[in-house]
Amino acid sequence: PLCLQHTLIKDENIVKIRNAPLAGSFFVADELKAEGNLYYEDKDYYAALELYELGYSLLQWLEIANAEKKEEFDKSKSVGLLDEDIKIAEKNLGDDDCEIETRLVMLVSLLLNQSNIYCKLFHFNEAVRC
């Protein structure tokens, strides 16, 4: 889905939040979701979508698995990537079932919000991918 593709491009602040304890990442994701909901209510769907994607990217993201490709991508942002060049990443929460469920509930909520927006914008194929 597009929301996951967009997580490849990141800045220092996003990385810091991803590296924070889950409570911190969750809090920021929840704030972004709440702000996105306000844009959604105002029918500013693209602004809402951007915030939902950003919140999602704090909890789950793509990383380039191949070190050479990562270096090329960091320099130019236009390197052709194949599926085998990337992996889905998320904070290792160990066996903490509560934190795992908390993250999962937020991810599902953000994906549902994004899917709903894609339906509003008549991008049904993308809605299904969420």
Side-chain angles (χ1 to χ4, degrees):
L2 282 176
C3 63
L4 207 48
Q5 291 173 20
H6 292 162
T7 66
L8 271 173
I9 300 172
K10 57 188 181 272
D11 67 19
E12 279 182 36
N13 293 327
I14 291 174
V15 173
K16 285 179 187 176
I17 295 168
R18 287 177 181 167
N19 291 331
L22 179 65
S25 302
F26 181 90
F27 177 79
V28 175
D30 193 45
E31 288 291 312
L32 291 166
K33 179 183 168 201
E35 189 176 344
N37 290 345
L38 296 175
Y39 281 107
Y40 179 86
E41 289 171 11
D42 289 340
K43 297 184 179 14
D44 189 347
Y45 299 128
Y46 290 104
L49 189 59
E50 188 174 320
L51 291 167
Y52 296 148
E53 285 181 359
L54 184 56
Y56 185 93
S57 76
L58 299 175
L59 303 171
Q60 192 172 73
W61 59 91
L62 291 180
E63 286 184 351
I64 300 172
N66 179 309
E68 288 179 19
K69 290 275 189 176
K70 182 178 182 339
E71 189 175 318
E72 288 178 51
F73 184 81
D74 288 343
K75 288 180 184 175
S76 70
K77 305 285 188 245
S78 63
V79 174
L81 296 172
L82 302 174
D83 286 346
E84 61 260 16
D85 296 327
I86 57 175
K87 64 180 181 178
I88 296 175
E90 58 190 13
K91 180 186 299 300
N92 182 354
L93 301 175
D95 294 332
D96 189 331
D97 291 338
C98 183
E99 284 197 343
I100 291 168
E101 184 175 345
T102 298
R103 176 179 54 204
L104 184 60
V105 167
M106 179 58 77
L107 287 171
V108 169
S109 176
L110 289 164
L111 285 172
L112 287 172
N113 286 6
Q114 290 174 64
S115 182
N116 187 30
I117 288 175
Y118 284 124
C119 287
K120 293 273 188 188
L121 298 171
F122 299 99
H123 296 295
F124 301 112
N125 287 332
E126 195 55 45
V128 171
R129 288 187 193 109
C130 286

